Amino acid sequence: MIPYGRQWVDEEDIASVVEVLRSPWLTTGPKVEEFERAVATLVGAEHAVAVSSGTAALHAAMYAIGVGPGDEVILPPMTFAATANAVLFQGGEPVFVDVEPDTLLIDPQKVEDAISSKTKAVVAVDYAGQPCNYHELRSICEEHGLVLVADACHSLGGSYRGNPVGSLADLNVFSFHPVKPITTGEGGMVTTNNPEFAERMRRFRNHCISTDYRQREKEGSWFYQVTDLGYNYRLTDIQAALGISQLKKLPAWIERRQEIARIYTEAFANIGEIEPLREQSDIFHAYHLYVVRCERRDELFSKLRSKGIGVNVHYIPVHLHPLYRERFGTGEGLCPLAEEAYREILSLPIFPALKEVEVSKVIETLLGILKQ
Ligand SMILES: *Cc1c(COP(=O)(O)O)cnc(C)c1O
């Protein structure tokens, strides 16, 4: 089966992990800081805080902002459930706002319409790797005094109007799960230019302990204080070493993803039944996913799967999950454009190691099914 996404780990990656295994620091050591600096430099942000997953990164972002009971956070339903779950972790309430039908990115006008006196933040999701309309989102958030968070789990390596993803929102969240642009096995990071946010997240990932281990060693002290409720969301040096090594390949990998996307888009140009999502102008698309809309989605899904093409559906709109229906009374009709898209979307295989012949096989198999 050709999967929809897959990691690429080479001998150089393996050697850098092995080197850490032979070193004194397996966690909370120099590789974590080196990885944070490398990502911060790449995306043009002042601070980067590494954590144990993209979900932990979202949670840390909600904590940094101070989301709590009584606060609303605006976000799109066309995302992985973790985006909204992070709001719930902190006791806040997610407010789902519909997407634009041709990009599946959050609609800035609808964001503005959903703002209330309880709104604390907006989370934009760079769906499929395409940066959202940050120009409009920023100006709306500035006008209303809201924090803008980018769920950039799909879009590391992308850019918007020449500015890299990771520098576009107040807090920018990444995941290093194996299907994502680079991997550390599990892992995540938040980038920000706000030193206070960064400091809060550094404490949050380590039980909100007031001093870290090395600081205490240096001062010859055993004393520490738990100042708030935090978690163990630390990334290991083993994972960070893999991340540092993977990051070097990111630009070439994004180029390759774009090349595959171009081949697909050209192949479907005259096929009325297959509609690729629209690319906005003046963006650099990271193409974590290649998504098409098609009315015969369910038929295509099962026939492609039976022929060894691992297509997938991203995503079931979050407000349709039982957790949200039961807790917040959400359901059909809340975000009709996302719900309609959900019935038609199909993610085709796209990842840097995908071979030319495999891309051709996906296209030929898909077109063959349509002719039946
Ligand atoms: C993968 C992903 C997450 C969660 O990241 P994990 O590292 O799996 O915890 C959150 N949001 C989006 C949009 C994602 O794709």
Side-chain angles (χ1 to χ4, degrees):
M1 182 82 85
I2 305 173
Y4 81 88
R6 187 206 283 146
Q7 77 276 14
W8 189 346
V9 174
D10 65 14
E11 290 305 318
E12 188 188 21
D13 294 330
I14 293 166
S16 48
V17 169
V18 169
E19 191 189 313
V20 172
L21 290 171
R22 296 201 169 97
S23 82
W25 293 99
L26 297 189
T27 190
T28 325
K31 288 293 174 190
V32 173
E33 276 173 39
E34 188 184 333
F35 186 34
E36 289 175 338
R37 274 197 309 275
V39 172
T41 303
L42 181 86
V43 306
E46 280 173 42
H47 310 277
V49 179
V51 290
S52 53
S53 69
T55 305
L58 285 161
H59 190 182
M62 292 301 118
Y63 175 78
I65 298 165
V67 170
D71 292 330
E72 293 177 352
V73 176
I74 293 171
L75 51 90
M78 190 49 78
T79 183
F80 184 54
T83 315
N85 289 355
V87 178
L88 272 61
F89 294 162
Q90 286 302 107
E93 184 165 340
V95 173
F96 295 100
V97 152
D98 216 347
V99 293
E100 293 178 339
D102 53 354
T103 60
L104 305 187
L105 300 176
I106 197 165
D107 183 336
Q109 185 54 54
K110 289 182 180 143
V111 168
E112 189 148 38
D113 296 343
I115 293 170
S116 80
S117 59
K118 295 179 181 171
T119 310
K120 192 112 187 181
V122 175
V123 184
V125 177
D126 294 342
Y127 179 82
Q130 168 153 240
C132 292
N133 188 338
Y134 283 100
H135 178 75
E136 280 189 44
L137 291 170
R138 286 201 79 96
S139 75
I140 291 166
C141 287
E142 272 164 30
E143 188 182 330
H144 295 270
L146 306 176
V147 180
L148 180 59
V149 179
D151 181 336
C153 288
H154 295 183
S155 56
L156 180 64
S159 66
Y160 174 84
R161 297 189 180 177
N163 297 310
V165 167
S167 68
L168 301 169
D170 299 309
L171 291 152
N172 308 272
V173 172
F174 299 106
S175 163
F176 307 125
H177 179 275
V179 295
K180 303 296 163 74
I182 62 163
T183 191
T184 60
E186 298 282 0
M189 202 171 297
V190 187
T191 59
T192 182
N193 287 336
N194 182 321
E196 218 168 290
F197 286 164
E199 184 50 35
R200 279 176 67 79
M201 293 188 291
R202 284 184 201 289
R203 270 186 281 122
F204 186 69
R205 72 174 168 190
N206 190 34
H207 310 281
C208 289
I209 285 173
S210 56
T211 58
D212 77 13
Y213 169 77
R214 278 178 294 172
Q215 203 178 331
R216 288 195 297 279
E217 284 287 288
K218 211 160 54 194
E219 290 163 6
S221 165
W222 46 261
F223 187 75
Y224 65 86
Q225 298 270 276
V226 172
T227 56
D228 198 359
L229 182 61
Y231 296 78
N232 176 356
Y233 280 162
R234 297 184 301 262
L235 191 76
T236 66
D237 279 55
I238 305 165
Q239 293 166 309
L242 180 54
I244 294 161
S245 184
Q246 289 256 306
L247 199 61
K248 293 177 196 156
K249 293 138 191 163
L250 180 70
W253 283 352
I254 301 295
E255 290 289 340
R256 178 62 186 145
R257 285 176 178 277
Q258 290 195 342
E259 202 174 299
I260 294 166
R262 262 196 306 275
I263 298 171
Y264 280 144
T265 302
E266 272 168 33
F268 304 141
N270 298 314
I271 311 293
E273 283 177 276
I274 297 290
E275 199 183 329
L277 295 184
R278 181 174 64 88
E279 247 192 63
Q280 306 185 98
S281 57
D282 214 3
I283 58 109
F284 195 73
H285 199 314
Y287 275 109
H288 164 59
L289 301 173
Y290 188 87
V291 177
V292 297
R293 293 184 67 151
C294 44
E295 280 177 19
R296 290 160 66 187
R297 196 276 309 277
D298 290 342
E299 181 197 348
L300 280 173
F301 179 89
S302 52
K303 287 186 174 165
L304 284 165
R305 280 278 180 114
S306 74
K307 290 177 192 298
I309 316 276
V311 287
N312 220 317
V313 173
H314 299 95
Y315 294 92
I316 300 168
V318 179
H319 69 285
L320 300 182
H321 286 300
L323 168 65
Y324 288 86
R325 288 178 188 270
E326 285 158 25
R327 209 182 273 197
F328 301 104
T330 58
E332 280 80 8
L334 183 63
C335 296
L337 297 174
E339 291 158 27
E340 193 187 327
Y342 163 52
R343 291 189 286 271
E344 296 183 355
I345 48 179
L346 193 64
S347 303
L348 304 183
I350 189 166
F351 50 92
L354 188 65
K355 296 189 189 79
E356 220 67 29
V357 289
E358 293 173 316
V359 179
S360 303
K361 185 184 168 189
V362 173
I363 294 167
E364 281 158 26
T365 312
L366 197 155
L367 298 184
I369 295 167
L370 286 178
K371 281 198 198 101
Q372 283 168 10

